[in-house]
Amino acid sequence: MAEEVILLDVGVSMFCLRVKIALAEKGIKCEYIEQDLQNKDPLLLKMNPFHNKVPVLIHNGKSICDSLIILQYIEEVWPEKPPLLPSDTYHRAQARLLADFTNKIHGCGWKICLWDGEKLEVAKKELVEMLTVIEGELGDKPYFGFGGERFGFVDVALIGFYSWFIVYEMFGKFSMESEFPKLSAWAKRCLQKESVSKSITDHIDGNKTYQYVVQSRKRLLE
């Protein structure tokens, strides 16, 4: 019997994009059901009763929530597919740690999109500090995964933020390429991968993400 794999997602969510990219990298067929977070679907409420948030992966009727937990689940359930994590236990733990650190970008990024003046500058400083740490971990390596040799768990976790980086630039008035040339070059390499480019094709230029942020900003600041 064929496996049932469904993803409850929102197209602009960097966390949902992570899961889409991981599924594509593994070659796993999936049905995507777009969610309206202002009018939540009963299926979402049923499958994620704790937080009512996306992404939610439904595998043969069972739900898995939280993007990084979903990535680990995908890795464990389909181990015969191209791996995202190395076999070495220590390096697996380090990859999970850095992937978890990338989650902090989300909160800081929203501050950049919502705040002005001095608060905006504080948020920019926080984001720059985070990205400096991440770029330092990348160094001169082409990828984060497998000792820098190839695309892996951290790459999947971070490249989901790509269209949001463009939005942070627009609101924060800074250049990722100037501030973080190594991360910018890494992103371009990732976009050459079919699993990445096809997963985020609607958001590569950042326009849809920007419009989403503008609408969210208006609603939140009313």
Side-chain angles (χ1 to χ4, degrees):
M1 186 173 73
E3 289 187 296
E4 179 191 56
V5 182
I6 299 170
L7 180 65
L8 307 184
D9 81 321
V10 171
V12 299
S13 167
M14 67 284 287
F15 302 120
C16 293
L17 289 171
R18 286 173 169 175
V19 179
K20 285 184 176 181
I21 292 166
L23 291 169
E25 185 71 6
K26 294 273 190 178
I28 300 163
K29 293 182 179 180
C30 179
E31 177 186 355
Y32 300 103
I33 303 179
E34 183 82 9
Q35 301 295 299
D36 178 0
L37 297 185
Q38 302 307 310
N39 184 25
K40 293 182 179 179
D41 190 318
L43 181 61
L44 174 61
L45 300 179
K46 177 184 177 182
M47 290 298 177
N48 190 357
F50 300 108
H51 303 295
N52 307 147
K53 295 179 180 180
V54 293
V56 178
L57 185 73
I58 304 173
H59 181 215
N60 293 333
K62 298 179 180 179
S63 62
I64 306 93
C65 308
D66 185 278
S67 63
L68 292 183
I69 291 175
I70 294 172
L71 293 191
Q72 292 181 51
Y73 180 85
I74 290 170
E75 178 75 346
E76 292 172 10
V77 171
W78 292 282
E80 74 282 2
K81 306 290 185 178
L84 298 175
L85 284 166
S87 57
D88 179 80
T89 304
Y90 173 78
H91 290 115
R92 290 169 73 91
Q94 292 302 108
R96 292 189 182 105
L97 181 64
L98 183 54
D100 184 67
F101 181 78
T102 67
N103 280 350
K104 296 182 179 181
I105 297 171
H106 175 62
C108 187
W110 265 114
K111 293 176 186 177
I112 287 176
C113 296
L114 295 175
W115 291 355
D116 298 303
E118 186 176 338
K119 285 187 175 181
L120 171 61
E121 294 306 314
V122 170
K124 281 173 60 176
K125 184 174 182 293
E126 290 178 4
L127 181 62
V128 166
E129 289 174 353
M130 290 177 196
L131 293 177
T132 298
V133 171
I134 294 170
E135 186 169 74
E137 290 294 320
L138 177 65
D140 295 319
K141 303 184 296 293
Y143 296 106
F144 288 95
F146 302 91
E149 294 180 2
R150 62 186 181 84
F151 191 77
F153 194 85
V154 177
D155 301 282
V156 172
L158 186 57
I159 196 60
F161 281 90
Y162 179 75
S163 65
W164 286 83
F165 286 157
I166 298 170
V167 173
Y168 301 156
E169 287 181 313
M170 296 168 76
F171 279 95
K173 295 180 174 55
F174 71 98
S175 166
M176 281 288 297
E177 191 162 3
S178 297
E179 296 281 346
F180 303 102
K182 293 178 180 179
L183 273 180
S184 297
W186 160 83
K188 291 176 182 177
R189 281 191 291 273
C190 291
L191 288 171
Q192 292 174 5
K193 293 183 62 64
E194 185 176 350
S195 61
V196 176
S197 61
K198 286 192 173 182
S199 298
I200 66 174
T201 184
D202 292 337
H203 306 282
I204 287 177
D205 62 9
N207 286 336
K208 287 189 176 181
T209 308
Y210 178 77
Q211 292 303 320
Y212 172 81
V213 171
V214 168
Q215 292 172 13
S216 298
R217 177 187 170 97
K218 181 180 179 181
R219 185 174 63 252
L220 291 170
L221 296 180
E222 282 180 349

